[in-house]
Amino acid sequence: MNPLPTARPEEVGLSTARLERLGAVLEERVAAGHLPGAVVLVGRQGRIAWHRAHGRRDPAAEDPMRTDAIFRIYSMTKPLVSVGVMMLMEEGRLQLGEPVSRYLPDLAGLRVAAPGGGTVPAAAPVTIQDLLRHTSGLTYEFLGTGPVHQAYAAARVARRAQSNADQVATLATLPLLHQPGTRWEYSRSTDVLGRLIEVVAGQSLGAFLTERICAPLGMVDTGFHVPTGKQDRLAGGFARDPESGAEVALLEVREAPQFESGGGGMVSTSADYARFLQMLAAGGAAEGGRLLSRKTIELMTADHLGAIPGNPDLLPPGFGFGLGFAVRRDRGLAVTPGSVGLYYWSGLAGTTFWVDPAERLFAVFMMQGPGQREYYRGLMRDMVYAAIVD
């Protein structure tokens, strides 16, 4: 597999001086103890124009950050799993409007938490589209303190010592937070999609993603754990958050897990993830062969919420949600630059990416600092767009 083509920033309408300005800010933040280390990658017009490492790979070690460092990408796992589902759709093995219970019978007959206590029957089945766009009624236990969140925590839905099938069986016993299709609620929906892939494809989620996405794209450092021979490249974070002082606990990825979380369990590198983004930006085509059709990519990156309300703390003003990505709907409203049609997502430990089709631009930012993630997501968007000079 050949490396992605490269270009000088000026060859693709970017300014070296302005990208160096971004680097200088990151170095200042490293020196101030706010950022453990980071990798920045910017691609435009199908070529990598900027790829730089800053700070230390692991604050507990002395070696500098490397551009091939491996990061826990948490929820940046979700787009990979979403693409996997869409590949199965293209093969005629499932349809988005189908109830997921057709493939995962445990999820038939779900009930929904009632405002005054107790539960009521779900008014509609959870569809595969609901799972992809997070309108399933599922939630995350750490996003609230209400009865449903408490039930999730008590049931230990996030435990590592379980299979993907075990988690779906547990979720099936718990009430939904909202009626399916009525509200955008960030959730364990993509974990369920991971199990859906296993059932439809007849193989483990990790095996499917490796065989069908990572191998064809040359994503050699992406998976659900970091093998022994690559652990010297694993990025780390501060032991304690530099602002709050809270202990930082990152996912243990040195051993293969029993639970392959489709919503947040993978590791990757900036270059690997850039290969995935380049495939999306190219309408599903890649050197290793076409993964999806252009029309399927267009469907995934369109807004699927319309008037369905969402959580403004997690889905910012000006954005809707597609099938695996947040999607920009307005030129204004958002507090960062970008074009209508931009799509993105991020990870709990600070990784983030976006693709801007109108500008033929994509960017990847990798760090392991959960408490600082919002600051650097905004900083990256501001300063990369400031480097566009054509």
Side-chain angles (χ1 to χ4, degrees):
M1 178 67 62
N2 295 323
L4 289 175
T6 60
R8 291 185 304 104
E10 283 71 18
E11 292 177 315
V12 293
L14 299 172
S15 164
T16 297
R18 286 172 171 258
L19 290 168
E20 287 176 342
R21 190 164 64 185
L22 166 61
V25 171
L26 294 176
E27 292 291 346
E28 289 172 2
R29 304 306 287 170
V30 168
H34 189 261
L35 177 66
V39 177
V40 176
L41 185 151
V42 181
R44 199 171 189 216
Q45 299 176 15
R47 293 182 285 176
I48 305 302
W50 195 256
H51 197 192
R52 297 289 188 275
H54 303 276
R56 285 183 291 175
R57 176 187 62 81
D58 186 336
E62 293 299 320
D63 53 318
M65 181 61 78
R66 302 163 44 167
T67 55
D68 66 348
I70 301 172
F71 294 81
R72 302 161 183 85
I73 62 172
Y74 285 90
S75 287
M76 279 170 50
T77 305
K78 289 179 170 73
L80 288 158
V81 172
S82 299
V83 164
V85 170
M86 301 306 285
M87 293 172 76
L88 294 174
M89 183 205 76
E90 286 196 342
E91 294 167 5
R93 301 169 77 176
L94 55 82
Q95 294 184 27
L96 301 189
E98 292 179 309
V100 69
S101 59
R102 181 166 296 175
Y103 305 93
L104 305 178
D106 286 350
L107 297 178
L110 295 174
R111 298 185 68 83
V112 183
T119 63
V120 298
V126 174
T127 67
I128 295 170
Q129 182 191 34
D130 283 325
L131 294 168
L132 285 160
R133 67 180 180 177
H134 292 280
T135 57
S136 64
L138 295 168
T139 187
Y140 271 118
E141 59 280 4
F142 51 80
L143 291 181
T145 58
V148 175
H149 303 95
Q150 292 177 30
Y152 271 52
R156 298 176 59 237
V157 296
R159 65 189 183 274
R160 301 274 280 170
Q162 66 177 337
S163 67
N164 291 24
D166 291 336
Q167 190 197 54
V168 168
T170 299
L171 289 170
T173 68
L174 303 172
L176 299 175
L177 187 60
H178 304 290
Q179 286 286 353
T182 65
R183 185 173 178 85
W184 185 87
E185 179 75 25
Y186 197 47
S187 71
R188 294 201 172 274
S189 289
T190 319
D191 283 339
V192 176
L193 289 174
R195 177 56 183 161
L196 174 67
I197 286 175
E198 291 185 334
V199 169
V200 175
Q203 58 188 143
S204 72
L205 178 60
F208 176 89
L209 294 177
T210 296
E211 177 185 321
R212 300 295 305 276
I213 298 175
C214 296
L217 294 178
M219 298 172 67
V220 297
D221 293 320
T222 301
F224 282 101
H225 79 289
V226 182
T228 302
K230 297 181 179 182
Q231 290 177 6
D232 62 338
R233 292 161 50 202
L234 179 62
F238 293 125
R240 292 193 174 275
D241 184 273
E243 294 180 14
S244 69
E247 184 178 351
V248 175
L250 297 173
L251 192 66
E252 178 51 65
V253 293
R254 291 176 176 84
E255 295 183 359
Q258 181 182 356
F259 175 46
E260 295 183 332
S261 170
M266 297 187 83
V267 299
S268 192
T269 64
S270 55
D272 268 16
Y273 215 86
R275 289 183 174 277
F276 178 65
L277 298 183
Q278 176 59 30
M279 178 274 295
L280 296 174
E287 180 187 341
R290 177 169 292 279
L291 269 66
L292 290 172
S293 79
R294 175 175 57 84
K295 299 306 292 184
T296 298
I297 298 290
E298 290 175 4
L299 179 66
M300 294 185 74
T301 58
D303 174 45
H304 283 248
L305 296 186
I308 295 173
N311 182 341
D313 293 331
L314 296 172
L315 196 59
F319 285 85
F321 206 86
L323 304 179
F325 316 92
V327 180
R328 187 157 185 160
R329 300 193 292 201
D330 299 283
R331 293 179 63 188
L333 298 179
V335 297
T336 53
S339 310
V340 172
L342 173 154
Y343 53 96
Y344 82 94
W345 205 239
S346 306
L348 179 67
T351 60
T352 190
F353 77 88
W354 77 89
V355 178
D356 187 329
E359 292 291 344
R360 298 184 63 194
L361 172 79
F362 64 81
V364 184
F365 179 75
M366 298 285 203
M367 63 172 276
Q368 305 280 249
Q372 287 65 53
R373 62 187 185 274
E374 296 292 345
Y375 176 84
Y376 290 103
R377 289 172 191 170
L379 180 76
M380 273 290 293
R381 205 80 64 83
D382 290 346
M383 299 196 75
V384 170
Y385 277 108
I388 296 177
V389 292
D390 61 2

